[in-house]
Amino acid sequence: MRDLGAGFGHLLKGQRWVARHGKSYGFGLLPGLITLVLYAAALIGLALWGTDFVAWATPFADDWSSPWPGLFRGFLTAVMFALALLLAVLTFTAVTLLVGQPFYESLSERVDRDVSPDGTAPESNLPLWRELWISGRDSLRVLARAAVWGVLLFALGFIPVVGQTVVPVVGFFVTGFFLTEELASVALQRRGVELRDRLALLRSRKMLVWGFGTPLGVSFLVPFVAVFLMPGAVAGATLLARELLGEETRDGADDRSDGGCADPAVSPGPAPAR
């Protein structure tokens, strides 16, 4: 239970960090807004033409007596839309991180410098194209794992009582785990931690991971909330990654606002040598 509270604490600390650094927060909203527009267009299209698609995919139901075709197709349409929403929650973070990779990496580095006792941050020293490739590749591998869980939970959802009570709760914890992996990957990938090792690291502290990711996943179900929480979620995941790796973190991160100092995350100056 202590780890649950610690994980949630990292989430809150991340939000407080970006609240104190207005420029970082403002630029951090842009990738989420771009991704939100794309996802909203896809979901609106599904809502408008989903019924027609289900009818096209189930011609065998045309010969059924009324009202079974309508009930059956209505159920499939609802399930398809619910799965699309779940997939949107699971993939929103990955797509947003990919779109905003350069910024979020800089934001994560700044958090590291703020809380590190010696004021330094690990650097990947990889070219940007290589970081984007690794991030995209790993996101697809994580999505494949999440999809397996999604299919399993969907099947278990048909079990009476359990499917309507236990399965949704398990679904939130699964979502929280994979959300945390995607967010923490910004800091862990910069430290050279491969996907398999990242997953093993997260599994070793499941309560900590669930404390961070599960409430975040629940909040992401509320429209537009994910956009506004993403910058703070990346900052909080950086703090969580430091705890997972046992790195020393000084108390009291930089409390200065952006108005008083330049923000390396958005500075037009030269990027660190790679």
Side-chain angles (χ1 to χ4, degrees):
M1 294 302 293
R2 181 180 178 182
D3 268 358
L4 277 176
F8 186 65
H10 288 316
L11 180 60
L12 295 180
K13 290 176 183 176
Q15 301 303 325
R16 287 199 297 267
W17 191 92
V18 295
R20 292 194 300 266
H21 298 79
K23 290 182 180 179
S24 293
Y25 180 67
F27 278 84
L29 295 177
L30 295 178
L33 288 172
I34 294 172
T35 307
L36 178 64
V37 170
L38 296 175
Y39 274 56
L43 290 174
I44 290 173
L46 185 62
L48 292 175
W49 296 291
T51 302
D52 294 337
F53 173 78
V54 170
W56 170 81
T58 57
F60 55 85
D62 291 338
D63 298 329
W64 294 1
S65 60
S66 181
W68 298 113
L71 292 175
F72 175 69
R73 285 167 173 164
F75 171 75
L76 287 183
T77 301
V79 169
M80 182 174 65
F81 195 79
L83 286 176
L85 283 175
L86 177 62
L87 188 62
V89 172
L90 290 173
T91 60
F92 182 89
T93 300
V95 174
T96 302
L97 290 175
L98 191 61
V99 171
Q101 172 74 19
F103 168 80
Y104 289 132
E105 182 174 336
S106 295
L107 186 152
S108 178
E109 286 183 7
R110 172 125 194 238
V111 173
D112 270 325
R113 285 193 293 269
D114 275 352
V115 302
S116 175
D118 58 4
T120 62
E123 297 182 9
S124 67
N125 295 317
L126 293 175
L128 178 59
W129 70 267
R130 179 64 178 171
E131 290 180 353
L132 290 173
W133 164 255
I134 294 174
S135 179
R137 180 199 64 191
D138 289 351
S139 293
L140 288 176
R141 293 163 66 184
V142 170
L143 179 59
R145 289 172 167 85
V148 171
W149 273 98
V151 172
L152 176 61
L153 292 173
F154 173 70
L156 294 175
F158 289 99
I159 301 176
V161 182
V162 174
Q164 293 73 50
T165 54
V166 177
V167 171
V169 174
V170 173
F172 281 125
F173 280 98
V174 171
T175 300
F177 180 89
F178 286 114
L179 276 178
T180 304
E181 195 286 326
E182 288 287 354
L183 291 163
S185 68
V186 177
L188 294 175
Q189 181 180 315
R190 184 158 40 84
R191 290 162 165 82
V193 182
E194 297 292 336
L195 176 60
R196 181 174 299 180
D197 296 326
R198 293 202 301 266
L199 291 172
L201 192 63
L202 293 172
R203 293 190 192 106
S204 69
R205 299 284 299 277
K206 289 189 182 73
M207 298 295 282
L208 180 71
V209 171
W210 287 335
F212 179 90
T214 302
L216 186 63
V218 173
S219 66
F220 274 16
L221 294 175
V222 181
F224 308 113
V225 167
V227 175
F228 297 102
L229 293 184
M230 271 298 295
V234 172
T238 301
L239 299 175
L240 182 139
R242 294 182 66 90
E243 179 169 345
L244 287 172
L245 294 172
E247 297 178 358
E248 185 179 355
T249 299
R250 69 179 178 86
D251 294 330
D254 184 4
D255 290 332
R256 294 170 298 176
S257 66
D258 281 335
C261 62
D263 189 343
V266 295
S267 173
R274 294 185 177 276

